Amino acid sequence: MTAQIIDGNALARRIRAEVAGRTAALKARGVEPHLAIVLVGVDPASQVYVKHKANDSEQTGLKATLERYPADMTEAELLARIRALNDDPRVHGILVQLPLPKHMGSQKVIETISPAKDVDGFHVASAGALMVGQPGFWPCTPHGCLKMLDTIGYDLKGKHAVVIGRSNIVGKPMAMMLLGRDATVTICHSRTANLKAHTLQADVVVAAVGKRNVLTADMVKPGAVVIDVGMNRNEEGKLCGDVDFAGVKEVAGWITPVPGGVGPMTRAMLLVNTIEAAERAAR
Ligand code: GUN
């Protein structure tokens, strides 16, 4: 079997077009949806990411302001700036790019963002809302993965999903979203004993460890859906995921590529959360 590819670029394009329509509708009512992006320090990867986020926003019609602060900014100064953004009715979404410099407490910084503007979905209130099924903001990466399952018309009810990786921003929220769709969910991590025994049972595998070849062909049930959240580099410096794509695509029914899979979906879902935040504020 050769798996069908779930094209993250194509789906993200469709989602951006939807967001552009919602943005135009809000602007027609005199509201300009606005994402504030805060970058502290000069981490090279973060600089690229924030530029992408700002460009994506502007191309969709959303206003984005990118605030850059020096690495020696104090935590108190950052918290004060976040509180000012919380209080600014012209700002609908606030994103503080991670990682922050070591002298800052990331969780404390995240908890200072108003849950109503937490478009990353990292606030403890957002995590709690997801857990209990209340409206909130879902973290962009797992939400993008769920959209990819939706786009192939996959009915999760009664299916067994295995999530490999237990981070607060991907693995755990992913598991909650899958549970919310009536799937049976197993959360594993890279050192789970006999990981293969778990993944071989799975109708859906989400790999989110951040290590190459976490999932190989011998670990996948024929026909399973494989979602690859990883972003790694191989020996040649080329972008690759957590899944041995060449091998697994011969066994799986559906598979997401890297690049061109979950990555563009994560970026698209930030736009969805931002327009959602602006719409809620305008209600
Ligand atoms: N750093 C890497 N990924 C992310 C993300 O999705 N949001 C934020 N705020 N920082 C990140």
Side-chain angles (χ1 to χ4, degrees):
M1 176 187 284
T2 299
Q4 299 192 63
I5 308 290
I6 308 177
D7 184 344
N9 282 321
L11 180 57
R13 250 193 313 277
R14 286 215 298 278
I15 289 173
R16 284 196 300 271
E18 278 170 32
V19 172
R22 289 165 68 181
T23 301
L26 215 48
K27 281 181 166 173
R29 292 170 49 199
V31 178
E32 184 173 39
H34 180 180
L35 172 65
I37 303 168
V38 177
L39 174 64
V40 185
V42 291
D43 178 74
S46 291
Q47 308 231 37
V48 174
Y49 293 147
V50 295
K51 207 167 263 173
H52 282 156
K53 290 170 187 180
N55 288 342
D56 288 349
S57 301
E58 275 155 13
Q59 280 166 18
T60 320
L62 299 157
K63 177 175 177 180
T65 44
L66 175 49
E67 302 186 5
R68 299 168 187 271
Y69 297 103
D72 63 357
M73 180 188 213
T74 67
E75 186 185 87
E77 286 168 332
L78 178 59
L79 298 185
R81 183 59 199 140
I82 293 170
R83 290 191 188 105
L85 291 169
N86 286 343
D87 292 340
D88 185 342
R90 294 164 303 178
V91 171
H92 304 103
I94 302 170
L95 183 146
V96 178
Q97 185 65 26
L98 303 177
L100 286 166
K102 296 229 180 322
H103 64 280
M104 293 190 183
S106 297
Q107 201 56 36
K108 185 172 176 188
V109 170
I110 289 165
E111 302 313 340
T112 303
I113 298 170
S114 162
K117 300 189 180 186
D118 175 36
V119 289
D120 256 331
F122 293 173
H123 195 289
V124 69
S126 301
L130 169 58
M131 178 103 166
V132 299
Q134 290 293 308
F137 292 107
W138 288 3
C140 301
T141 298
H143 196 183
C145 295
L146 196 69
K147 285 269 180 203
M148 294 176 106
L149 291 167
D150 288 341
T151 194
I152 62 168
Y154 195 82
D155 183 6
L156 284 156
K157 200 182 287 271
K159 297 293 200 318
H160 186 184
V162 169
V163 178
I164 316 172
R166 52 173 166 176
S167 76
N168 291 336
I169 61 175
V170 183
K172 290 179 199 169
M174 182 82 256
M176 282 300 139
M177 290 174 202
L178 294 164
L179 265 179
R181 294 292 188 83
D182 296 334
T184 300
V185 182
T186 303
I187 311 182
C188 299
H189 48 86
S190 58
R191 285 189 291 276
T192 291
N194 203 1
L195 181 60
K196 177 177 169 176
H198 296 279
T199 58
L200 275 173
Q201 306 275 323
D203 303 301
V204 175
V205 183
V206 180
V209 173
K211 212 168 82 183
R212 285 169 57 201
N213 297 327
V214 163
L215 193 75
T216 47
D218 57 310
M219 299 168 74
V220 175
K221 180 162 93 172
V225 184
V226 174
I227 310 274
D228 190 350
V229 180
M231 276 272 236
N232 312 296
R233 301 241 169 226
N234 67 13
E235 301 90 351
E236 298 147 28
K238 272 176 62 178
L239 213 54
C240 65
D242 289 357
V243 175
D244 169 29
F245 184 83
V248 170
K249 81 170 176 8
E250 300 304 325
V251 183
W254 293 90
I255 190 166
T256 68
V258 177
V262 174
M265 288 302 296
T266 296
R267 285 166 60 179
M269 296 320 290
L270 174 65
L271 306 175
V272 171
N273 278 353
T274 303
I275 189 62
E276 181 68 35
E279 287 171 350
R280 286 182 197 172
R283 261 177 214 145

